[in-house]
Amino acid sequence: MNVTVKSTARARKKAAPGAPDNSRTGSDTQTELVQLLTPEGVRVEHPDYPLVTSPEELRALYRDLVLVRRFDAEATALQRQGELGLWASLLGQEAAQVGSGRAMRPGDYAFPTYREHGVAWCRDVDPLNLLGMFRGVNHGGWDPNEKNFHLYTIVIGAQALHATGYAMGITKDGADDAVIAYFGDGASSQGDVSEAFTFAAVYNSPVVFFCQNNQWAISEPTTTQTKIPLYRRASGFGFPGVRVDGNDVLACLAVTRWALDHARNGGGPVLIEAFTYRMGAHTTSDDPTRYRLTEETEAWKAKDPISRLKAYLEAEGLVDDEFLAGIEAESVALGLRVREGVRSMPDPDPTLIFDHVYAEPHTLVDEERAEYEAYAASFEGGENL
């Protein structure tokens, strides 16, 4: 697979920012990306998506990227050591998640899949709460309404409908907020996503659909999912679509900020396709060496989101050795906290599974609880089963 990433620093004619470009054919392989930071770390401008950032904001974005990657690496290691049942790594997708996550306002609401660890970080969800679900000790561990970050959704594409319904409710409430729904390129083939597009368009709902096109739906490449760039699907539903360099944290921030403002100001839904790459396995039960070439992965390493931002910061004199050492020390401390925290998580009481089947007491559930407790007690130490 040959991937061409083409900068859009030069001005070009467009009907409106983010509007679908219908002049291209489905076979056009030179589709342009919105890019503000090249793989070499050179800052460029885009006429439709300007971005003004302070040195403090840029350093904060770098910190986000480094710490999110460290947390993800620790989680992968913990699964390999038998401490987690499964893990879905975000390696390579940090910029797409941090950029879009930092574009949200406090009142905006995010609906993730099971891989949005970087967005969770931006919404102040404790990393240990994410790991609790993968360890099997809770079903999420955080209050979605406190963080404005929904629980992880394992069913592929279902959260797009949830997000659209929530956005329809925002409109009825007259609130000045927007919603963002995350999904992958594989999920774009699910009927739930198309249904969400239909309802969002018809009701002009304030929702941004954020597709992280990481090139692979487990072992199926994007070429088996669509004949046109994914962002162009939006035009068929009547709303704007934008393709952004998903390894460029600044471009992801600028485009998502624009899309959320467009949605909350009555413009209706937007589809963002973050063109990125899944550097690791789909999950820790997957072996990507069985279906993709090493050369492809190596080519994408040159587009690494952390390396390009670091190169820019160093070239502009915005960071020094002391700052970088401080981030590294913070990264090590986070890794230690994650390892110790996961291993010390208490096992939940197995009978809790019966507590919330119904809102009110139920005779059948009470009978099943009693039967299970008697069964567990029949074993030595059965109270801990």
Side-chain angles (χ1 to χ4, degrees):
M1 180 183 295
N2 295 318
V3 180
T4 301
V5 178
K6 188 175 180 182
S7 172
T8 54
R10 60 183 176 81
R12 56 190 172 85
K13 281 188 175 182
K14 291 180 70 176
D21 184 352
N22 295 318
S23 65
R24 299 190 181 92
T25 64
S27 61
D28 182 7
T29 59
Q30 299 297 323
T31 302
E32 294 181 336
L33 304 178
V34 176
Q35 188 178 86
L36 299 182
L37 193 63
T38 70
E40 296 76 25
V42 177
R43 181 75 163 86
V44 295
E45 298 297 332
H46 192 284
D48 297 327
Y49 305 99
L51 181 67
V52 177
T53 53
S54 67
E56 292 75 18
E57 290 173 320
L58 290 170
R59 286 190 286 264
L61 288 171
Y62 179 78
R63 173 181 178 271
D64 286 337
L65 295 175
V66 171
L67 295 185
V68 165
R69 177 170 291 184
R70 180 55 179 260
F71 160 66
D72 180 66
E74 291 294 341
T76 299
L78 285 165
Q79 194 283 329
R80 297 306 190 199
Q81 296 163 10
E83 301 291 348
L84 303 178
L86 187 73
W87 184 247
S89 173
L90 58 62
L91 183 62
Q93 298 177 224
E94 297 91 350
Q97 296 191 16
V98 168
S100 61
R102 290 304 182 194
M104 285 187 281
R105 295 180 183 176
D108 295 338
Y109 207 108
F111 286 80
T113 64
Y114 45 79
R115 199 188 301 274
E116 273 67 58
H117 320 313
V119 184
W121 173 270
C122 294
R123 302 308 276 178
D124 295 325
V125 175
D126 190 323
L128 287 174
N129 281 338
L130 296 179
L131 296 178
M133 184 184 74
F134 290 94
R135 189 173 172 85
V137 301
N138 61 42
H139 292 152
W142 65 90
D143 182 350
N145 293 326
E146 176 193 355
K147 304 298 184 182
N148 276 12
F149 183 77
H150 200 265
L151 297 177
Y152 273 7
T153 303
I154 307 300
V155 178
I156 306 299
Q159 71 281 0
L161 283 172
H162 306 158
T164 300
Y166 192 94
M168 292 166 65
I170 285 178
T171 300
K172 291 183 179 295
D173 292 341
D176 182 26
D177 297 316
V179 180
I180 185 167
Y182 291 89
F183 56 91
D185 49 294
S188 69
S189 297
Q190 292 288 336
D192 284 1
V193 173
S194 292
E195 291 172 14
F197 286 0
T198 297
F199 273 86
V202 170
Y203 285 91
N204 205 49
S205 302
V207 57
V208 173
F209 298 105
F210 195 94
C211 176
Q212 292 175 82
N213 180 1
N214 65 18
Q215 313 298 309
W216 292 93
I218 309 182
S219 58
E220 291 296 314
T222 308
T223 52
T224 66
Q225 305 288 327
T226 180
K227 289 187 176 181
I228 63 172
L230 291 174
Y231 81 97
R232 290 185 57 203
R233 288 185 175 181
S235 63
F237 292 88
F239 55 85
V242 187
R243 178 181 266 194
V244 62
D245 184 344
N247 285 25
D248 178 354
V249 68
L250 301 185
C252 289
L253 174 63
V255 170
T256 308
R257 185 176 288 167
W258 168 82
L260 288 167
D261 286 342
H262 173 91
R264 69 165 55 88
N265 291 328
V270 176
L271 170 61
I272 298 174
E273 178 193 356
F275 197 74
T276 181
Y277 192 78
R278 192 195 77 212
M279 293 299 295
H282 173 69
T283 68
T284 45
S285 64
D286 171 43
D287 179 7
T289 63
R290 295 171 61 90
Y291 54 80
R292 68 186 190 190
L293 300 175
T294 302
E295 292 84 353
E296 179 182 309
T297 306
E298 290 298 318
W300 276 91
K301 282 184 179 180
K303 304 178 180 73
D304 183 76
I306 298 180
S307 296
R308 69 168 69 179
L309 181 57
K310 182 180 180 181
Y312 173 66
L313 293 174
E314 290 180 329
E316 295 295 316
L318 299 178
V319 297
D320 54 22
D321 291 342
E322 182 181 359
F323 171 82
L324 295 174
I327 296 297
E328 177 60 24
E330 192 174 359
S331 170
V332 171
L334 175 62
L336 178 61
R337 184 171 79 86
V338 167
R339 290 194 300 275
E340 292 180 345
V342 165
R343 290 168 177 156
S344 62
M345 285 180 178
D347 292 332
D349 180 354
T351 62
L352 290 174
I353 195 173
F354 300 100
D355 284 356
H356 304 292
V357 178
Y358 294 100
E360 302 293 335
H362 192 282
T363 302
L364 178 59
V365 175
D366 291 341
E367 292 175 356
E368 290 174 341
R369 183 203 302 272
E371 182 179 350
Y372 174 80
E373 289 175 342
Y375 171 76
S378 68
F379 296 90
E380 184 178 355
E383 66 277 3
N384 297 319
L385 289 180

